[in-house]
Amino acid sequence: MAAPRKRKLRIGMGARIQHRRKQLGLTLSELGARSGLSAPFLSQAERNQTVPSIMSLMALAKALKVDLQYFLESPTERSIVCRAKERPRIRINSPVTFYDLSSSLIHRMMDAILMEIPPGHAFPTDQRDGEEFVMVIKGRIHTRVGEIETVLGPGDSMHFNSQLPHSSRNDTNSTVVLLYVGTPSVMGEEQHDED
C-alpha cells in the first residue's frame, strides 16, 4: 500500500524562512551576509528555536526578496481544508486513482490519501521507514504485513510499522475505496489534476 510520491509544506515562520532561502539557493552564511544577521541565529530561527524581532524580519524580507507579510500569514481555510468535491487528484501512471487529502504544507510529515483500487489490482511488496494506517471505506481488500495475512472490509483498519514487508490486492470484482495515512511523507514532485 505504498503511496505515490509528491511534495508539500509545513506552516510556520521558521519553515517559511528556510523554504524561501532554499528557493533562492542560499546557504545560511550567504543569507546572513545579505541580511546582517548571524548564521547561527538564522539556523535557530529556521528551527523555531528563536523568534526574530520585527527589525530582523524586515532585514530578512529584504534579503529574501519577499514582503514582510510572507512571514506573518496565517493559514486560510482553503489551505488547510479539503472539500469532498474539490479533492486534488494525484497524477501518477497507475490504474489506482489517488486523491490527496493532506494540506499544502512544506516539509509535511504525514500523507493522507484516498485510493480507489480497481478490481484485480495488486500493489507490489513495499518496505520503508515509518508507519502506515489504512482503513477500508468501501469493498474488501486482501492484505499482508509481515507474517499477518488478512482481508479487510468496510470500517476495518490496520496500523503497522512500514519496515515490515507489506502488500495488498483487490481480489474482488468491485472497486475498493481505501484511506491511507503514512509517515513520514513520501510524496514526491507529482502534480495534481484540478478536477
Side-chain angles (χ1 to χ4, degrees), residues 95-182:
V96 177
T97 303
F98 298 95
Y99 295 97
D100 189 2
L101 306 181
S102 303
S103 64
S104 55
L105 301 175
I106 15 184
H107 308 302
R108 82 179 186 201
M109 302 177 70
M110 176 187 87
D111 294 326
I113 298 168
L114 190 69
M115 301 180 186
E116 294 176 355
I117 306 163
H121 181 76
F123 289 96
T125 300
D126 190 26
Q127 217 173 339
R128 64 182 182 85
D129 289 336
E131 296 178 47
E132 292 186 27
F133 170 86
V134 295
M135 181 172 154
V136 176
I137 307 298
K138 177 182 158 193
R140 300 179 73 72
I141 194 158
H142 181 273
T143 63
R144 183 179 182 105
V145 177
E147 298 301 314
I148 299 170
E149 200 163 347
T150 191
V151 174
L152 300 176
D156 292 342
S157 62
M158 296 179 79
H159 180 205
F160 56 92
N161 184 324
S162 305
Q163 291 178 333
L164 292 168
H166 54 280
S167 62
S168 61
R169 66 181 187 269
N170 181 355
D171 290 333
T172 72
N173 295 323
S174 303
T175 297
V176 172
V177 179
L178 182 83
L179 172 64
Y180 163 94
V181 179

Side-chain angles (χ1 to χ4, degrees), residues 25-93:
L26 299 173
T27 64
L28 285 168
S29 296
E30 290 168 336
L31 179 56
R34 284 186 179 194
S35 65
L37 303 169
S38 73
F41 172 80
L42 292 170
S43 175
Q44 288 180 339
E46 286 188 357
R47 289 178 285 141
N48 294 313
Q49 293 177 339
T50 189
V51 178
S53 68
I54 194 71
M55 296 304 289
S56 295
L57 284 177
M58 289 170 67
L60 276 171
K62 185 175 180 182
L64 294 171
K65 301 177 183 173
V66 294
D67 293 329
L68 190 58
Q69 187 65 26
Y70 173 81
F71 302 112
L72 307 175
E73 277 183 44
S74 296
T76 62
E77 178 184 346
R78 184 160 177 80
S79 71
I80 62 172
V81 174
C82 181
R83 300 286 178 199
K85 293 182 179 180
E86 299 170 355
R87 286 184 190 134
R89 184 172 172 180
I90 301 167
R91 290 186 197 168
I92 188 166
N93 185 17

